[in-house]
Amino acid sequence: KLVILITAICAVASAVDLLNGKGMFDEVTDINSWKWVNQSAYTSSIITNGTRGYLTLTKIKDSIFKFDDGMYYYFGKTQPEHIHLNILTREGTKETGDIRLVNIDVNKMNSGNFSKIEENDLLFFRFGFYNYIRVNLEDLIKSFEPAKWYTLDFILSWEDQKMAVYIDNKYVITVAFFYPESNIKSSNAIMLYNLTPDSTIKVGNLQV
């Protein structure tokens, strides 16, 4: 049943962006719209030439291996259909560039704390060990080169609880949502982090 909409990739620029442009990282103030889980574990900066920009996110050397400890953008309960971004990792043998589409506990967020709703993740992308890209429960999807920019597109089908994965505008694979058994009906936030200490990614043109 999954309908792969190739035209959606071409039309992303005209689509409604749930991040309100704050994932483009073309202004140094964009990062202020994101919230941190553990800012002390990272250094970050936005590099811009006035028209295009990107975020540099580095997990410091003396931090620890930890999931979900980076930054997130809360966009409210909805059903995103398309995630688009450009991403680069400097590492080849470390897990970095972790991108998660999640549901967070709004009450805890409003009180200054961060907590995900258990088993409600939809997307879990990462540059994995041995120079391979991993998406959800699928390993070794595609090899990658460190320090090279990649264009990623994820087209979501809520009815089927699946998503089509495109890398550099080429269809690669269709995968189930990370927790398909939960029959997730919506998402409210996207996360960026690095699992591995002493690692750096660059992210730009992120739209949801």
Side-chain angles (χ1 to χ4, degrees), residues 12-158:
V12 65
S14 63
V16 174
D17 179 19
L18 298 176
L19 307 187
N20 297 310
K22 302 306 181 182
M24 301 297 287
F25 301 118
D26 52 6
E27 297 182 7
V28 294
T29 55
D30 283 352
I31 199 169
N32 297 335
S33 298
W34 291 70
K35 298 180 183 295
W36 286 94
V37 179
N38 182 13
Q39 188 171 6
S40 64
Y42 289 86
T43 62
S44 62
S45 63
I46 291 180
I47 308 299
T48 177
N49 61 9
T51 56
R52 294 295 296 273
Y54 60 85
L55 166 74
T56 296
L57 187 66
T58 299
K59 193 166 189 177
I60 62 177
K61 189 173 183 178
D62 60 352
S63 60
I64 62 174
F65 283 83
K66 186 173 177 58
F67 293 99
D68 306 325
D69 67 345
M71 53 193 291
Y72 67 97
Y73 189 102
Y74 173 77
F75 48 74
K77 183 179 180 181
T78 189
Q79 291 186 333
E81 297 179 353
H82 185 185
I83 301 170
H84 172 86
L85 71 152
N86 302 116
I87 188 168
L88 170 156
T89 179
R90 292 180 180 173
E91 323 301 334
T93 59
K94 302 176 181 179
E95 181 172 319
T96 61
D98 299 75
I99 304 166
R100 300 187 88 134
L101 188 64
V102 301
N103 282 286
I104 61 175
D105 187 318
V106 178
N107 291 328
K108 290 185 178 180
M109 179 188 72
N110 290 336
S111 64
N113 298 309
F114 173 83
S115 178
K116 290 196 311 181
I117 299 175
E118 292 297 323
E119 299 186 357
N120 261 243
D121 292 17
L122 295 95
L123 167 65
F124 183 15
F125 169 93
R126 61 273 196 209
F127 291 106
F129 295 101
Y130 309 113
N131 293 89
Y132 271 87
I133 287 171
R134 308 161 77 183
V135 181
N136 291 356
L137 300 180
E138 300 291 336
D139 294 333
L140 308 180
I141 284 180
K142 179 180 174 64
S143 61
F144 69 89
E145 299 176 25
K148 177 182 176 180
W149 281 99
Y150 289 91
T151 299
L152 305 180
D153 289 277
F154 306 94
I155 311 297
L156 284 71
S157 171
W158 291 87

Side-chain angles (χ1 to χ4, degrees), residues 192-203:
L192 300 173
Y193 66 93
N194 292 333
L195 174 65
T196 312
D198 193 23
S199 61
T200 298
I201 59 170
K202 297 179 180 180
V203 179

